Amino acid sequence: MGAKGKIVLGVVAGVVVIGAVSANSNGSNGSNNGKHSGSTAAKGSSASAERGSGSGSKSKDGAGAGAGAGTKSKDKSATKADTPRKKAALAGDGDFQVGTDIKPGTYRTTGNTDSLCYWERAKDASGEMDSIIANDNVTGTSYVTIQAGDKLFKSSGCGDWEAVGTKASGTPATRMEGDGGMHRVGGGIAPGTYRSTGNSDGLCYWERSKDASHSLDSIIANNNVSGTAVVTIAPGDTYFKTSGCEDWKKTG
């Protein structure tokens, strides 16, 4: 299955936040790897999107999202920082009414390694851009928290979704795949400083987040990287997201 034909503002490589400031990576200040500073920077989170016919995710102004576009060679010794699969709560394809087909809560999918898995939280079933609360195009594992105020959850091209608990569990890994998606801190991966050789073909995107709502406010810090990347995942972080990078290894 190909990409979902969605035009998504700020998915994967499209957001760079320094503190609470974000911007599109291919915006008017593209020579600075997408970074903007100042309180008036554009809020390029996955909470806003519009649909289009492109083969991949794009920002609202038509700029392509750089990370995760290519296939990366994997270090087979890298440990997948994921918890064991549970019984599926809902299929990876379909529209689901919140409260009827699916209960509010946090869910996990293994995504789609062959193409992009697209999911969407919506406030109604109009199908219009304004109905989108948050969305993402995913390669690898993803988590999403569906809230009680959501009306519809859409999933296309994804692996089946499973319900997960609120607390991290399992033995945390110290290595993770650079294109592996979202990992839960403390259960999937251990806190600490990690290093990746980045992505010489495009942008490596990483993100530290405090929850799985995928709103701008959930982002603690993120970056689009070309070349070697180093990031410290704090014990208080809840999730770490990586896309388009080489594998990460804990160094401290």
Side-chain angles (χ1 to χ4, degrees), residues 1-25:
M1 181 178 295
K4 300 299 154 311
K6 305 290 180 180
I7 296 181
V8 183
L9 177 61
V11 297
V12 187
V15 186
V16 174
V17 174
I18 306 301
V21 180
S22 70
N24 240 325
S25 64

Side-chain angles (χ1 to χ4, degrees), residues 1-6 91-96 109 111-112 115-120 136-138 153-159 161:
M1 181 178 295
K4 300 299 154 311
K6 305 290 180 180
D93 288 290
D95 294 352
F96 306 95
T109 180
N112 187 341
S115 60
L116 289 178
C117 151
Y118 175 80
W119 64 258
E120 177 183 309
D136 205 358
N137 285 322
V138 178
F153 180 74
K154 298 185 178 184
S155 177
S156 179
C158 305
W161 293 86

Side-chain angles (χ1 to χ4, degrees), residues 38-61:
S39 60
T40 58
K43 293 189 176 181
S45 77
S46 61
S48 299
E50 63 182 31
R51 294 160 177 76
S53 58
S55 60
S57 62
K58 294 183 180 179
S59 63
K60 192 173 181 181
D61 59 4

Side-chain angles (χ1 to χ4, degrees), residues 6 27 35 38 66 69 75-76 94 105-106 110 112 127 137 149 159 163-164 168 181 197 206 214 227 233 245-246 250:
K6 305 290 180 180
K35 293 183 181 179
D75 180 355
K76 298 301 182 182
T106 299
T110 53
N112 187 341
N137 285 322
V164 296
T197 53
W206 63 258
H214 296 267
I233 301 171
C245 307
E246 295 298 329
K250 191 173 183 289

Side-chain angles (χ1 to χ4, degrees), residues 161-188:
W161 293 86
E162 65 185 22
V164 296
T166 57
K167 294 184 178 180
S169 60
T171 303
T174 57
R175 301 184 69 157
M176 58 186 149
E177 293 183 357
D179 209 24
M182 288 180 72
H183 306 289
R184 183 171 281 189
V185 179

